[in-house]
């Protein structure tokens, strides 16, 4: 009788589930048809009577001035060179500036001049992807927020080809299945990675794994289950992409294990403006009275600027024991919002605490020419992010002729600061002591030895040039245009 009762409940439940699934499919199909109709209404034919092909890039922070933005503008310029009947669209949340100011900013910061105008679609709900909105379950919150922001973008402009160039994978199924677009993505950094899972599994305290979680086994287990669930969802949405481009071997390994779409995944190294930096004459060092150490990266928590300041303070402490040339640390970076500005103020306080304020300079949102000048004068280029996905700043430092000191992980370890034809191109470190010791070692080398390392580094960076990016990018996106 118990079996009969279960059976009598199961049949209606299955029937109801079937009806709901059919209703959902019909609803989604209806939305898709409505969006296609909307697309016809919103787009008009060009001068030659043909409707241009709309290629849209989803980049809510296109005016941020970081490495990801350099990829965006180079990608657009590359498509404009290759395809005549293409109109490039950028979905952005930068509503405090005009389209002209954004394009002008790209030229000023990156030295990139576009061939044709770009259409900007300004989004009102960018706050939905701000990490500050989700103090807990940040990954899930931002990802769901990006889906809502993607929906706003889709309603405002329905493209033929959609490329997520900022890592919002949850927008991909939206544009593919409801927008009927060919979809591609350029992944700078996996939203979740096996490294992040291992940090939670091993109960390590990091900027994205608070101490109150690591100290509690129950919280740690719960967070691990949440991370595995999120990784499964992330793999599901990412795998629907027609073309997947990743920026480094490190990112490739993670995306292959999470998305399992090897057939359409390729490494496209980001375009670094190496030629502009290679134009800086590589001469033997003139000054022996002052050495500058330069760091180039946005003021974001994962870039770990406090590590740079603490290592520098340790170096200064040791150097003061003898009569040495004076040292200065120059921190160059972009500030995107009030949180970044607050971070800079905290770093200034740290400098005061450690007694190094007079030796540390902050240069924020500076023009390209000033960046170039600082790199030309620097002895050491410093980079401290753990598992940096690639590291455009690292390449720029090497091309400019500094002796690079980067973190022994991620892109710098696997792709960039690697021996070139058997010769040293730079140095890697992992913690405060390592960094301080290695900086002291680099400064102790003879100018001739440093020059040799700088020359090796320069020769090795040609594979990260704009030209190489253009070739590999066009090859990768070709399937989207068929």
């Amino acid at each position: 009788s118990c079996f009969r009762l279960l059976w009598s409940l199961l049949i209606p439940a299955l029937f109801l589930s079937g009806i709901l699934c059919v209703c959902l499919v019909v609803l989604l199909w209806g939305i898709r048809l409505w969006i296609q109709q909307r697309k016809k209404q919103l787009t008009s034919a060009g001068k030659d009577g043909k409707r241009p092909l709309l290629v849209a890039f989803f980049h809510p922070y296109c005016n941020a001035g970081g490495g990801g933005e350099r990829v965006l503008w180079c990608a657009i310029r590359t498509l404009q060179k290759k395809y005549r009947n293409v109109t490039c669209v950028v979905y952005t949340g930068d509503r405090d500036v005009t389209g002209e100011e954004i394009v002008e900013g790209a030229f000023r910061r990156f030295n990139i001049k576009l061939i044709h105008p770009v259409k900007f679609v300004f989004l009102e709900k960018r706050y939905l992807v701000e990490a500050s909105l989700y103090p807990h379950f940040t990954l899930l919150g931002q990802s769901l927020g990006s889906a809502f922001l993607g929906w706003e973008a889709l309603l405002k402009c329905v493209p033929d080809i959609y490329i997520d160039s900022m890592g919002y994978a949850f927008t991909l199924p939206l544009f593919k299945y409801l927008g009927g677009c060919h979809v591609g993505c350029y992944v700078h950094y996996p939203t979740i990675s096996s490294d992040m899972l291992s940090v939670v599994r091993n109960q390590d305290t990091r900027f994205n794994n608070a101490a109150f979680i690591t100290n509690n086994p129950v919280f740690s287990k719960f967070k691990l289950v949440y991370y595995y669930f999120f990784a499964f969802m992330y793999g599901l949405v990412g795998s629907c992409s027609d073309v997947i481009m990743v920026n480094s071997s490190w990112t490739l390994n993670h995306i292959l294990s999470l998305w399992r779409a090897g057939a359409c995944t390729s490494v496209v190294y980001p375009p670094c403006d190496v030629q502009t930096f290679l134009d800086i004459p590589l001469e033997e060092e003139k000054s022996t009275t002052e050495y500058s150490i330069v760091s180039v990266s946005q003021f974001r928590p994962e870039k770990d600027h406090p590590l740079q300041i603490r290592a520098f303070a340790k170096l200064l402490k040791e150097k003061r024991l003898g009569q040495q040339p004076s040292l200065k640390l120059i921190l160059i970076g972009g500030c995107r919002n009030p949180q970044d500005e607050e971070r800079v103020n905290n770093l200034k306080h740290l400098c005061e605490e450690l007694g190094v304020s007079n030796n540390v300079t902050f240069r924020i949102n500076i023009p390209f020419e000033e960046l170039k000048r600082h790199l030309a004068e620097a002895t050491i280029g410093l980079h401290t992010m753990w598992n940096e996905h690639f590291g455009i700043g690292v390449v720029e430092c090497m091309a400019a002729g500094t002796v690079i000191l980067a973190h022994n992980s991620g892109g710098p370890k696997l792709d960039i600061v690697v021996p070139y034809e058997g010769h040293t191109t730079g140095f890697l470190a992992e913690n405060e002591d390592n960094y301080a010791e290695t900086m002291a070692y680099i400064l102790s080398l003879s100018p001739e030895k440093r020059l040799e390392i700088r020359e090796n580094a320069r020769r090795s960076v040609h594979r990260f040039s704009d030209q190489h990016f253009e070739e590999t990018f066009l090859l990768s996106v070709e399937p989207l245009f068929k």
Side-chain angles (χ1 to χ4, degrees), residues 59 67-68 71 165-167 186-190 245 247 250-251 389-390:
H59 210 104
V71 172
S165 51
M166 218 182 150
Y186 188 94
V187 185
H188 297 274
Y189 198 86
M245 292 167 279
N247 65 344
W250 183 85
T251 309
H389 40 298
F390 179 73

Side-chain angles (χ1 to χ4, degrees), residues 15-300:
F15 183 68
L16 192 63
S17 300
I19 288 173
L20 286 172
C21 284
V22 169
C23 288
L24 186 64
V25 168
V26 169
L27 176 67
L28 292 174
W29 187 252
I31 292 171
R32 183 183 163 115
L33 288 175
W34 174 68
I35 287 172
Q36 293 305 307
Q37 198 59 41
R38 194 177 169 82
K39 180 180 181 177
K40 285 175 188 168
Q41 290 166 358
L42 290 172
T43 54
S44 54
K47 291 174 187 174
D48 56 358
K50 289 181 184 173
R51 193 180 66 80
L53 199 67
L54 282 185
V55 180
F57 290 84
F58 191 75
H59 210 104
Y61 295 91
C62 75
N63 201 35
E69 287 66 60
R70 186 164 214 289
V71 172
L72 170 73
W73 302 119
C74 271
I76 289 173
R77 185 179 62 183
T78 304
L79 291 181
Q80 288 181 344
K81 276 188 202 172
K82 166 84 174 173
Y83 298 101
R84 286 193 174 179
N85 196 36
V86 156
T87 298
C88 289
V89 177
V90 177
Y91 297 116
T92 179
D94 293 301
R95 293 189 301 140
D96 54 341
V97 284
T98 63
E100 289 79 14
E101 285 170 332
I102 294 172
V103 172
E104 175 57 35
F107 177 64
R108 198 175 62 250
R109 168 67 184 90
F110 303 118
N111 209 23
I112 293 171
K113 201 157 186 67
L114 300 178
I115 300 160
H116 305 296
V118 169
K119 182 184 170 188
F120 288 93
V121 174
F122 292 94
L123 306 175
E124 290 165 33
K125 296 183 176 65
R126 188 177 72 178
Y127 64 88
L128 291 174
V129 297
E130 292 278 357
S132 55
L133 193 63
Y134 313 99
H136 307 295
F137 301 102
T138 314
L139 293 180
L140 191 60
Q142 282 184 291
S143 297
L144 293 175
S146 72
F148 283 106
L149 189 64
W151 176 248
E152 183 195 342
L154 186 58
L155 290 185
K156 286 187 171 174
C157 174
V158 187
D160 299 291
I161 294 168
Y162 170 80
I163 299 173
D164 163 43
S165 51
M166 218 182 150
Y168 293 110
F170 281 72
T171 61
L172 294 167
L174 205 63
F175 280 82
K176 181 168 185 170
Y177 300 117
L178 295 182
C181 315
H182 291 295
V183 301
C185 59
Y186 188 94
V187 185
H188 297 274
Y189 198 86
T191 306
I192 191 164
S193 66
S194 52
D195 290 329
M196 288 164 72
L197 289 167
S198 70
V199 163
V200 179
R201 199 184 301 113
N202 301 334
Q203 292 178 257
D204 292 342
T205 303
R206 298 261 175 165
F207 79 91
N208 58 355
N209 198 35
F212 80 89
I213 289 173
T214 59
N215 297 334
N216 187 310
V218 177
F219 284 172
S220 282
K221 288 279 185 292
F222 180 76
K223 185 167 183 177
L224 192 59
V225 169
Y226 156 58
Y227 265 26
Y228 273 114
F229 166 73
F230 184 81
F232 170 74
M233 293 300 293
Y234 181 60
L236 214 58
V237 295
S239 62
C240 77
S241 193
D242 301 311
V243 162
I244 302 161
M245 292 167 279
V246 297
N247 65 344
S248 68
S249 307
W250 183 85
T251 309
L252 175 71
N253 295 335
H254 287 290
I255 290 298
L256 288 178
S257 71
L258 289 162
W259 292 10
R260 303 183 189 281
C264 56
T265 307
S266 56
V267 176
V268 177
Y269 287 130
C272 308
D273 193 10
V274 292
Q275 197 49 56
T276 305
F277 291 104
L278 290 171
D279 290 343
I280 298 169
L282 198 61
E283 299 162 353
E284 280 204 31
E285 297 153 29
K286 296 183 189 80
S287 170
T288 51
T289 55
E290 184 180 72
Y291 289 124
S292 71
I293 297 163
V294 169
S295 154
V296 183
S297 54
Q298 285 181 316
F299 290 100
R300 301 208 306 257

Side-chain angles (χ1 to χ4, degrees), residues 109 273-274 276-278 280-283 285 292-297 328 330-332 363 366-382 392-404 454 458:
R109 168 67 184 90
D273 193 10
V274 292
T276 305
F277 291 104
L278 290 171
I280 298 169
L282 198 61
E283 299 162 353
E285 297 153 29
S292 71
I293 297 163
V294 169
S295 154
V296 183
S297 54
K328 60 177 178 178
I330 303 167
L331 301 176
I332 300 171
R363 302 298 297 128
I366 61 172
F368 186 76
E369 285 306 312
E370 191 184 334
L371 165 71
K372 203 171 156 179
R373 183 171 54 78
H374 282 300
L375 285 175
E377 292 167 1
T379 304
I380 297 173
L382 194 60
I392 287 181
V394 175
V395 174
E396 288 179 345
C397 285
M398 289 165 77
T402 70
V403 178
I404 192 69
R454 291 157 68 207
R458 275 198 151 184

